Amino acid sequence: TIALVETTEEKQMRNEIAGKRLIRVPEVLRRVGFSRTTMYELIKEGRFPDKVIIGARSVAFVECEIDLWIENTISDSRRNNK
């Protein structure tokens, strides 16, 4: 049996990302309802959460950042329509 010992640095990193989940582009697009092109334009403009590179040709997004963006967009829309 091989015992895995977690270093202090690994524990700290794990705690920082605890509760964070990465979601892939199709799921993000399903949630926000606009096109891939629009999403990347908004990222470029700094108006949408940036992607996380997870592989040579793979990206994902932090789920809680997407959820917060959706909540803020709803709040802004309702505030502006009053």
Side-chain angles (χ1 to χ4, degrees), residues 52-77:
V52 176
I53 298 170
I54 60 172
R57 295 175 46 98
S58 300
V59 299
F61 292 82
V62 180
E63 183 177 40
C64 63
E65 292 176 1
I66 299 302
D67 291 341
L68 182 60
W69 182 89
I70 292 168
E71 288 173 24
N72 289 339
T73 301
I74 292 168
S75 294
D76 291 347
S77 173

Side-chain angles (χ1 to χ4, degrees), residues 3-4 6 8 10-12 16 20 24-25 31 35 39 48 50 59 63-64 67 70 78:
L4 297 176
E6 189 175 46
T8 304
E10 290 169 330
K11 284 180 185 174
Q12 182 180 4
E16 286 176 9
K20 306 258 182 179
R24 300 297 303 275
V25 172
R31 290 183 183 200
S35 72
M39 179 183 73
F48 194 79
D50 206 355
V59 299
E63 183 177 40
C64 63
D67 291 341
I70 292 168
R78 291 187 175 155

Side-chain angles (χ1 to χ4, degrees), residues 24-54:
R24 300 297 303 275
V25 172
E27 174 64 14
V28 173
L29 297 177
R30 186 189 67 73
R31 290 183 183 200
V32 298
F34 45 66
S35 72
R36 184 180 302 257
T37 301
T38 299
M39 179 183 73
Y40 282 110
E41 287 172 353
L42 291 173
I43 291 170
K44 187 176 177 181
E45 295 169 3
R47 297 173 42 210
F48 194 79
D50 206 355
K51 63 191 176 295
V52 176
I53 298 170
I54 60 172

